[in-house]
Amino acid sequence: QVQLVESGGGLVQAGGSLRLSCAASGNIFSINAMGWYREAPGKQRELVATITRGGSTNYADSVKGRFTISRDNAKSVVSLQMNSLKPEDTAVYYCNAVRYGSGRFEYWGQGTQVTVSS
């Protein structure tokens, strides 16, 4: 099992910045990819950014150039630096981890609210 605990959400004005962090615990040694997803009211959960253990990253087009994902493998922490925030970035942000053992296993954090005011 893997447990994920997020921190860093909040309220910010448009154009501002926030940094989200997610700490993983439990069976962390077999975690491959970690990332962030978000879910806005009335919309489906969508990918924001992911990063593999080797450091390869993937971003949604809507956040490219504004958000940066990073990972500290030694501390099992993944972070999301969000700059130039827009009202449409308002959502609950969820940390995600994928590990491979006898199969593919996916884990989610409890979510943290990010609200961007115009």
Side-chain angles (χ1 to χ4, degrees):
Q1 287 289 336
V2 172
Q3 294 79 42
L4 303 172
V5 178
E6 300 119 333
S7 60
L11 172 65
V12 65
Q13 288 188 331
S17 299
L18 281 174
R19 184 176 181 86
L20 306 182
S21 292
C22 172
S25 61
N27 190 2
I28 62 175
F29 297 104
S30 55
I31 291 177
N32 185 351
M34 296 187 72
W36 293 91
Y37 290 69
R38 66 187 181 188
E39 188 170 329
K43 295 186 177 182
Q44 288 188 330
R45 190 171 298 188
E46 63 177 4
L47 178 146
V48 176
T50 61
I51 185 167
T52 67
R53 177 173 287 274
S56 297
T57 58
N58 180 46
Y59 293 92
D61 288 342
S62 59
V63 307
K64 283 181 181 176
R66 300 188 297 123
F67 292 10
T68 302
I69 191 169
S70 60
R71 179 172 175 175
D72 185 333
N73 287 327
K75 298 180 179 179
S76 300
V77 173
V78 62
S79 299
L80 185 69
Q81 178 66 41
M82 305 185 293
N83 298 327
S84 303
L85 282 161
K86 304 175 180 179
E88 52 263 43
D89 294 318
T90 295
V92 177
Y93 284 68
Y94 295 91
C95 181
N96 171 274
V98 175
R99 72 173 183 89
Y100 294 93
S102 56
R104 181 182 184 277
F105 301 91
E106 193 167 25
Y107 304 91
W108 295 94
Q110 79 284 359
T112 185
Q113 177 70 47
V114 171
T115 303
V116 184
S117 63
S118 56

